[in-house]
Amino acid sequence: MTFSIKPTNNCVPMFGKAEQGEWTGDYSFVFGADPQPGLIHAKLRGGDGSKWDEEILLVDKFVEAVNQINPKFVFLGGDITNAYPGDNLRELQLESLSKSFQSLNRDIPVLVAPGNHDIGDVPTPETVGMYTSVFGDDYYSFWVGGVFYIVINSQYYKNDSETKELSNKQCKWLDEQLKSASGSRVIIISHIPPFTSDPMEEDTIFNIPLQHRIPLMDKFVASGVKMVLCGHYHRNGGGVWGEQAEVEVIVTSSIGAQLGKQKPGYRLVHVGRDEIRQEYVTMGGV
């Protein structure tokens, strides 16, 4: 059961370069992170994660807001559920989310990226397969209005001890995508942020380890990437990377459980001919 488009062959057919590679005018899209039904009960209410009515109310508000905005597309940046692969609550949480997204305008496409709760903190070929059977490819690219979007599976940078072959395959693919994007505006979408506030901050559970962060971000600079959109942190954050602040990292707090001072919300991104602007919007504050 899914409510999103399923990428195949690492692309989204309706959003190919032939269909969407040229600029056609300003547009907006919505980036939402970590709906994660069950986390509020487990993390903030002292429960076991078996209740998620609070998150579903927030997802309903999110869907209502998206319908009002009528963006070009919606992106969910990982941790779709709180239950890990193999947990018997996972299917129930997906069912609840699917019911909420039934209210979304059918003309608004939904795309997703995998988070650690979607494929496991230490993913395996089996857990990745469980994800892809529902949501499609775990990394892929697509074009919208002349902008090239590259979606990565950030968990491979966090811990690929059980998925070396899959991780290496993504790395090779990413190099090819960045090379093909030369001269285009590029936005990277990743569940885990490269960093949350300081580009050289120490490794934590909320960022990509430095041993991968530095070469990855330098590669983004060299390839002309403009922005990296992330979730995972359950707080807003980010900063810039590069001697001339070439790459902007935007960390978006969650639709659901908050671990900081933000209110539940989403990122509204405005794509213009000469600039890309973004703002964090709290639920109900459209």
Side-chain angles (χ1 to χ4, degrees):
M1 177 179 295
T2 185
F3 43 83
S4 62
I5 295 172
K6 295 179 71 172
T8 57
N9 298 317
N10 305 112
C11 64
V12 182
M14 66 183 291
F15 289 141
K17 187 172 185 179
E19 297 83 6
Q20 291 284 339
E22 298 296 327
W23 174 257
T24 56
D26 294 9
Y27 66 89
S28 297
F29 69 90
V30 170
F31 179 85
D34 305 273
Q36 217 165 333
L39 184 61
I40 292 177
H41 187 239
K43 189 78 173 179
L44 306 179
R45 305 288 182 257
D48 59 2
S50 61
K51 297 179 181 179
W52 49 84
D53 53 318
E54 291 185 77
E55 284 96 344
I56 294 304
L57 284 173
L58 290 166
V59 171
D60 288 342
K61 290 182 178 180
F62 173 73
V63 170
E64 181 182 356
V66 170
N67 282 334
Q68 292 180 38
I69 296 166
N70 194 30
K72 198 80 168 181
F73 64 93
V74 176
F75 204 100
L76 296 179
D79 281 0
I80 311 303
T81 65
N82 189 54
Y84 282 95
D87 190 317
N88 59 9
L89 295 178
R90 186 179 176 89
E91 287 300 318
L92 296 174
Q93 291 174 0
L94 282 174
E95 286 178 9
S96 295
L97 288 169
S98 294
K99 288 179 181 177
S100 291
F101 274 89
Q102 285 177 2
S103 299
L104 185 68
N105 184 330
R106 293 185 179 183
D107 294 330
I108 303 174
V110 179
L111 295 161
V112 303
N116 54 303
H117 281 256
D118 303 313
I119 60 173
D121 292 327
V122 184
T124 66
E126 290 73 26
T127 61
V128 173
M130 292 171 68
Y131 172 87
T132 58
S133 67
V134 175
F135 293 106
D137 293 336
D138 57 325
Y139 58 91
Y140 57 96
S141 61
F142 63 99
W143 289 83
V144 178
V147 178
F148 192 40
Y149 298 83
I150 301 176
V151 183
I152 61 174
N153 183 341
S154 57
Q155 205 60 32
Y156 292 150
Y157 298 105
K158 199 67 174 173
N159 191 325
D160 67 351
S161 59
E162 300 294 327
T163 52
K164 291 292 186 184
E165 184 175 346
L166 294 175
S167 177
N168 290 336
K169 188 176 179 181
Q170 175 181 250
C171 287
K172 181 180 179 181
W173 171 86
L174 178 59
D175 287 344
E176 293 170 350
Q177 296 301 297
L178 291 171
K179 184 177 180 180
S180 72
S182 177
S184 303
R185 287 192 293 176
V186 182
I187 293 178
I188 304 291
I189 298 177
S190 167
H191 175 64
I192 299 175
F195 57 89
T196 59
S197 60
D198 182 345
M200 299 304 292
E201 67 196 19
E202 65 181 22
D203 297 351
T204 73
I205 63 170
F206 289 116
N207 59 26
I208 290 175
L210 276 164
Q211 64 171 328
H212 297 304
R213 184 192 316 163
I214 294 172
L216 185 64
M217 293 303 295
D218 286 348
K219 186 182 299 184
F220 289 165
V221 170
S223 301
V225 171
K226 300 300 182 185
M227 180 179 290
V228 182
L229 284 172
C230 322
H232 186 57
Y233 192 41
H234 292 261
R235 287 159 283 221
N236 286 330
V240 293
W241 184 281
E243 292 182 0
Q244 297 180 358
E246 291 95 337
V247 183
E248 184 178 17
V249 174
I250 307 295
V251 184
T252 297
S253 196
S254 68
I255 295 170
Q258 302 297 304
L259 302 183
K261 297 180 180 180
Q262 275 78 39
K263 294 182 179 179
Y266 52 89
R267 191 73 53 177
L268 180 58
V269 184
H270 307 272
V271 181
R273 178 180 288 277
D274 300 318
E275 65 174 351
I276 300 174
R277 296 178 291 107
Q278 51 76 28
E279 59 182 314
Y280 185 74
V281 183
T282 57
M283 230 66 78
V286 180

